[in-house]
Amino acid sequence: MTGHFEIDDSFIDDQNRKARAWIDEDYEALARKLRRQNVDIEDLVKKAAAFHVAIPSWGVGTGGTRFARFAGAGEPRDIYEKLEDCGTIFKLVRSTPAVSLHIPWDKPDDASKLRAFAGARGLSFDAMNSNTFQDQPGQTHSYKFGSLTHPDKFVREQAVAHNLECIEIGKTLGSKAHTVWIADGGNFPGQQNFRRALERYLESMREIYAALPDDWRVFIEHKFYEPAFYSTVINDWGTSYYCARALGPKAFCLVDLGHHAPNVNIEMIVARLIQFGKLAGFHFNDSKYGDDDLDAGSIKPFQLFLIFNELVDAELNSVANFNPAYMLDQSHNVTDPIESLMMSAVELVRAYVQAHLVDRDALADAQEQCDPLLALATLKQAFTTDVAPILAVARERSGGAIDPLNTYRQSGYRRRKAEERPGKKGVTASGIV
Ligand code: LRH
Ligand code: MN
């Protein structure tokens, strides 16, 4: 790839030097504050540096809605350019060493070549994602009326075969998990037989499960509506959990934060799935109304903190079968996707570190003493602690940017990509990617 611009380490060092002054001062002040709480700030820096979240390959392109997609400058045009941008995000925030691919959007001509290209940028591949919610050119059977649950067994077989192909590609890429989200459902009462559709789902998923290598996991992703607007086969965590139990020990339940009805207590669903040993992990994002796929922590940061409060409690108590996969799943319709993904990754590390600041003995006492206000105050003390200096020092010590957004903007990366990747800027056909 001739003439491809990259932000080099010396530029990041230069920018970090400019930020050194304020970071040292803030870090010392926070260290003193935490010392009073018998908390060693260095422990938290190590935890922050160890936190990783995967980038969705489909997130580095500009997203859209059914109304329009306003393509940005220097859009990645293929999986290699998507990985270039994922490499840039990783270089600046250091907490995103893996990418989650979507097939066929990212189907590689040469998976080994792709793995090497990613490896050269410090990137590996997280969970694969199948796509039986769109018809591909030349596809024999349409998914208009479903895929793994379609009444026609030839459609189900086609959908199963696609998932097996995703697993084969993933094996070459070094992935260890496969996420299955299906849009199957109905728009009208009576359109589907609810029980038969679920039986067909399990029948199809058993074939996919049987194809999993021993060290792989399959993630079932529930969603309460859209694109089906009356009923969705895998609509909630309960149905997902039933299926994961029915399939076996390699099947788990993935929580996409945008896939729940408004006001659903997602942190409680997370606690349930942790307790039941079936938490696959997350598609982190945020939303105000539906599956808005907005930037994580941008609308409900306290909910994000409460979810991490459950995760850290499980981590500290070494709960069995607790090995969640963290991924972002967002659609960037009006921002530079690289900036949104960087800032979203930072918000996840922030929530994780703040959750480690919860005084769990005090919280347990307040709960046992039936003192709700003290319990809430104990959580809020952690949530209202500004841990930004810890996050910045963790990034810098990992070779990243103290101020990733400013460093990215100073680098002129997007402008350079616009020169390298001439593409049609402006309004294009609708669709999420
Ligand atoms: C469905 C979903 C799923 C992906 C898709 C891009 O809403 O969250 O995880 O396959 O978005
Ligand atoms: Mn998702």
Side-chain angles (χ1 to χ4, degrees), residues 22 53 66 73 117 130 141 182 306 310-311 323 331 342 375 385 413 424:
W22 59 263
V53 58
R66 58 184 167 172
F117 183 92
S130 58
H141 303 289
I182 58 170
L306 292 173
E310 296 301 328
L311 295 168
N323 174 24
S331 180
M342 287 196 302
T385 300
Y413 181 90
K424 40 191 184 315

Side-chain angles (χ1 to χ4, degrees), residues 389-408:
I390 291 170
L391 309 181
V393 167
R395 286 191 298 270
E396 192 217 4
R397 290 185 187 168
S398 312
I402 287 174
D403 184 343
L405 185 60
N406 184 51
T407 302
Y408 172 73

Side-chain angles (χ1 to χ4, degrees), residues 167-168 170-171 175-178 208-218 250:
I167 293 169
E168 283 314 306
K171 281 156 62 173
S175 175
K176 293 292 183 199
H178 179 54
I208 295 169
Y209 188 94
L212 292 173
D214 294 347
D215 60 352
W216 272 54
R217 300 186 290 173
V218 65
K250 291 190 279 187

Side-chain angles (χ1 to χ4, degrees), residues 312-354:
V312 166
D313 189 72
E315 179 188 314
L316 294 172
N317 290 286
S318 312
V319 171
N321 239 0
F322 179 69
N323 174 24
Y326 297 146
M327 292 164 275
L328 287 165
D329 179 2
Q330 299 176 178
S331 180
H332 310 109
N333 305 350
V334 294
T335 59
D336 179 322
I338 289 178
E339 295 187 354
S340 276
L341 287 163
M342 287 196 302
M343 302 320 286
S344 300
V346 168
E347 287 314 307
L348 297 184
V349 187
R350 184 190 317 280
Y352 177 65
V353 169
Q354 287 176 330

